Amino acid sequence: MTAQISYPPAASNIPDSRGLNLFSADPYSKALLQVYLPRDLYDHLLPHFIELGAMAGGKLDELAAIADQHPPELSVRNRAGQDQSVINKHPAYVELERLAYSRYGLAAMSHRAGVLGWDAPMPPAAKYALTHLFVQAEFGLCCPVSMTDSLARTLRKFGDPALIEWVLPQVTSLDFDELKQGAMFMTEQAAGSDVSATETLAREQSDGRWLLYGDKWFCSNPDAGFAMVLARSETKQGLAGVSLFLLPRILPEGGINHYRILRLKDKLGTRSMASGEIRLEGAQAWLVGERGRGFQHMADMINNSRLSNGMRAAGLMRRAVSEAVFVAENRRAFGKRLIDMPLMQRQLLKMMVSAEQARSVMYQTAAALERSDKGDAQAKVLARILTPLIKFRACRDARKVTGDAMEVRGGCGYIEEWTEPRLLRDAHLGSIWEGTSNIVALDVMRAIRKNNCLDGLRAHIEGLLADGMPCPADLAATQRQSIDKAYALAASAAQEENSALARQAASALYNVMSLATMRWEARKTGLESRNDLADLVLVHKLAPHDPCSVSEFKVNQSRLLPETPQPVH
């Protein structure tokens, strides 16, 4: 019998961050939470953030990797040959669902007390901060979480009281076995961004219910307990004929509703989460809000989802930066750590700027949304423009930042065993769902043209700058000129219905907003590095520059690239 020789594992030169607490590794997490949350809520939630940070860098990340490699499967018939669309999800994804919906209550915390032991509904900033951390491990699931939260919000605003009483407890339940998730079925082959071309028909019945007929082309979370659906209820053409309906998966008297999931999409990213095509065959539904005002009502849900898209992009970028910094600190080449090399430092700083811009605008939009919901008219105007701004720019930035993180890791970054490929694939979703970049940039211009949002945004930005850490004296004139040019560009672009300058103008406003916010955050937190980030936004994203010149602008890199905690294996 041949003896078996046991060799010790070889030492690895490949930095592995598995076990890293993604909350503790984030140099701004605690300080920004203290700025945007009430002190008592911050104290209460801090242990939960620390726990979730550890899970995001460990157990959640492992579950997400498994779910990504084992996408859901559709069974269209049962063994008796009866039509019965059932989506079979991998146990890893189901466990992620339990943690998101039940353990952390991400979809419920804006609508009810009792989530994470808090005795009242939590403000948007808390929800988005927690989800920003959760999404650093799992992106796909956060789409159904957002839709469940948004469905509850839209139903509360526009639904009949009896409908709210029936549905709201089900979509905000913390008992996973009782929970009914949410979705929205809007897209059709002929009606993508052009909702006025909706062809799905709604026929009113004598008992107050409606029957829906037609095909919906892209439905994420298609087996959700409830979905908001747009359908044509009136003979009028265009948006005036479209109404909003609530579609249950299971009818009140029992039995599956009359619609089928035809197939699931084979997607580039968000593979863990099912997206499919739906055929409505006389499906029973209930009218939400006024007849013929479906798009106006659905816009509230879409805008909430757009903010969620921006938040998720910010989370992806934060994870990408954490991974890249960890690799750069722990990988050596040519006798040096990567992070000590000037060109790598420059690359990391560029990634960090985009990630922190997105987080700052996320928090500002969440704060505006909270004030708007309390009746603040100025905040409503501000939220109207900030929502498409973050959806447009943060989602585009995430595609580049996640790609750069892949490059920092090198060849391993291209291998599916590591996190970066999943981050990159998922990042491309944000620029498409709930409106492509062109559509959303044009919506920014529409907000300026029809809602006079530029004046409100400008007033808010000026207030942030006045209350923020001062701009360095040698950059003050450049800052003033750049901000004024951004406003002028936006005002000019907004005059046209379909301006070719819409994306350029939206980017300029986003950069100004994030710059002002980070200067304000710098004063509130006492972190000068936040002001350094604002300087980088100004010099590299707003101010005119010669691409062939030798840049002499320097920042204090030791403030921006702090030591990253080591993982706990």
Side-chain angles (χ1 to χ4, degrees):
M1 185 173 181
T2 304
Q4 297 296 314
I5 302 175
S6 177
Y7 294 98
S12 175
N13 293 317
I14 302 173
D16 187 350
S17 67
R18 180 62 59 78
L20 184 70
N21 187 310
L22 296 178
F23 180 75
S24 302
D26 179 348
Y28 296 111
S29 55
K30 289 184 181 179
L32 291 178
L33 281 178
Q34 288 178 295
V35 169
Y36 288 100
L37 294 184
R39 182 69 201 198
D40 57 345
L41 182 56
Y42 168 82
D43 291 338
H44 179 81
L45 286 180
L46 183 58
H48 296 290
F49 275 99
I50 295 172
E51 178 195 64
L52 179 56
M55 293 185 67
K59 178 181 178 180
L60 287 181
D61 197 51
E62 293 175 5
L63 290 171
I66 295 169
D68 180 71
Q69 295 300 316
H70 297 84
E73 297 179 348
L74 174 65
S75 174
V76 296
R77 282 189 163 192
N78 62 22
R79 66 182 185 177
Q82 299 167 312
D83 289 341
Q84 187 176 343
S85 301
V86 174
I87 296 177
N88 299 305
K89 305 172 184 178
H90 192 276
Y93 183 80
V94 176
E95 180 62 18
L96 287 167
E97 288 182 306
R98 287 184 182 275
L99 289 166
Y101 286 106
S102 296
R103 171 67 184 89
Y104 290 101
L106 298 179
M109 62 175 54
S110 291
H111 309 287
R112 55 164 292 171
V115 176
L116 295 175
W118 193 246
D119 60 0
M122 294 191 204
K127 173 181 66 181
Y128 290 120
L130 278 162
T131 313
H132 175 271
L133 184 54
F134 192 100
V135 81
Q136 292 181 48
E138 165 57 20
F139 183 93
L141 170 60
C142 289
C143 176
V145 168
S146 169
M147 289 192 296
T148 305
D149 168 50
S150 299
L151 183 145
R153 174 185 168 85
T154 301
L155 183 64
R156 289 174 60 193
K157 292 186 72 172
F158 304 113
D160 180 87
L163 203 57
I164 297 172
E165 184 180 2
W166 171 40
V167 175
L168 195 63
Q170 298 184 66
V171 296
T172 61
S173 176
L174 298 179
D175 183 332
F176 186 72
D177 295 326
E178 298 294 329
L179 171 74
K180 298 294 187 294
Q181 296 182 32
M184 60 179 178
F185 302 163
M186 182 174 67
T187 306
E188 301 178 11
Q189 289 191 41
S193 298
D194 184 9
V195 178
S196 64
T198 294
E199 296 178 349
T200 298
L201 295 178
R203 296 177 180 171
E204 188 174 14
Q205 304 302 295
S206 58
D207 62 356
R209 302 186 189 191
W210 293 71
L211 301 183
L212 306 185
Y213 299 87
D215 283 9
K216 291 296 183 178
W217 178 242
F218 211 113
C219 306
S220 289
N221 212 24
D223 61 342
F226 293 95
M228 290 290 188
V229 184
L230 287 177
R232 188 164 296 282
S233 62
E234 316 300 314
T235 56
K236 301 175 183 177
Q237 297 299 309
L239 287 177
V242 176
S243 297
L244 180 61
F245 297 90
L246 182 76
L247 176 78
R249 181 70 174 144
I250 304 298
L251 295 171
E253 52 274 10
I256 297 176
N257 207 346
H258 305 297
Y259 65 90
R260 289 184 291 150
I261 305 172
L262 300 179
R263 67 166 179 159
L264 299 184
K265 305 285 194 180
D266 185 7
K267 297 171 294 181
L268 171 69
T270 63
R271 292 176 179 172
S272 63
M273 181 266 300
S275 300
E277 299 166 20
I278 297 290
R279 175 158 295 164
L280 301 156
E281 301 171 316
Q284 296 184 35
W286 280 258
L287 180 69
V288 176
E290 299 178 42
R291 292 177 60 154
R293 290 184 56 81
F295 179 73
Q296 288 84 348
H297 298 330
M298 182 67 116
D300 186 78
M301 187 170 181
I302 294 171
N303 283 334
N304 218 42
S305 293
R306 284 179 172 177
L307 173 52
S308 177
N309 264 296
M311 172 273 296
R312 282 178 269 157
L316 286 180
M317 286 190 278
R318 182 61 249 173
R319 176 65 187 275
V321 170
S322 294
E323 289 292 327
V325 170
F326 182 86
V327 170
E329 286 188 323
N330 292 280
R331 178 77 170 170
R332 298 183 71 86
F334 310 107
K336 294 182 178 180
R337 295 188 312 161
L338 298 186
I339 202 166
D340 295 327
M341 299 178 180
L343 194 55
M344 177 58 73
Q345 292 172 352
R346 183 181 179 90
Q347 183 175 358
L348 292 173
L349 288 178
K350 290 173 71 175
M351 295 170 63
M352 185 178 293
V353 167
S354 294
E356 294 309 315
Q357 283 184 279
R359 177 157 48 179
S360 289
V361 179
M362 174 195 83
Y363 273 127
Q364 286 289 315
T365 311
L369 182 65
E370 181 181 11
R371 298 195 303 273
S372 173
D373 286 344
K374 293 178 180 178
D376 186 325
Q378 291 181 326
K380 183 177 181 180
V381 170
L382 186 61
R384 170 67 182 89
I385 191 169
L386 287 182
T387 299
L389 273 179
I390 188 172
K391 162 67 169 75
F392 163 67
R393 191 65 258 169
C395 292
R396 293 192 64 78
D397 287 345
R399 291 155 55 174
K400 185 176 188 306
V401 171
T402 53
D404 282 353
M406 176 180 285
E407 188 174 342
V408 171
R409 190 175 286 281
C412 287
Y414 199 67
I415 305 302
E416 290 285 352
E417 292 172 311
W418 298 86
T419 301
E420 286 82 3
R422 180 158 47 91
L423 296 179
L424 180 66
R425 288 188 280 104
D426 288 348
H428 282 263
L429 173 143
S431 294
I432 299 175
W433 290 6
E434 279 75 66
T436 61
S437 297
N438 285 354
I439 291 295
V440 180
L442 288 170
D443 191 45
V444 173
M445 300 301 105
R446 188 178 302 109
I448 294 172
R449 186 171 61 253
K450 293 189 174 182
N451 303 101
N452 197 31
C453 287
L454 186 57
D455 288 345
L457 179 65
R458 185 169 190 163
H460 184 69
I461 288 171
E462 297 306 314
L464 291 171
L465 290 172
D467 197 26
M469 194 173 285
C471 173
D474 59 337
L475 291 176
T478 300
Q479 176 170 289
R480 187 69 268 162
Q481 292 168 5
S482 298
I483 290 175
D484 288 344
K485 286 182 179 180
Y487 294 146
L489 172 62
S492 175
Q495 293 176 7
E496 298 182 36
E497 185 74 24
N498 194 346
S499 174
L501 297 175
R503 284 163 58 149
Q504 182 180 341
S507 293
L509 290 180
Y510 177 85
N511 289 331
V512 170
M513 177 64 196
S514 60
L515 176 152
T517 300
M518 287 192 284
R519 297 214 188 282
W520 179 81
E521 290 167 344
R523 170 161 283 178
K524 295 298 180 183
T525 61
L527 294 173
E528 292 184 61
S529 63
R530 215 72 193 156
N531 217 32
D532 294 335
L533 290 169
D535 292 345
L536 290 172
V537 172
L538 173 60
V539 172
H540 293 285
K541 296 194 174 188
L542 275 169
H545 63 280
D546 179 357
C548 296
S549 66
V550 178
S551 174
E552 297 182 356
F553 178 73
K554 302 287 185 181
V555 296
N556 188 333
Q557 294 183 354
S558 64
R559 290 199 297 243
L560 287 168
L561 295 174
E563 290 292 322
T564 303
Q566 298 299 304
V568 178
H569 290 289

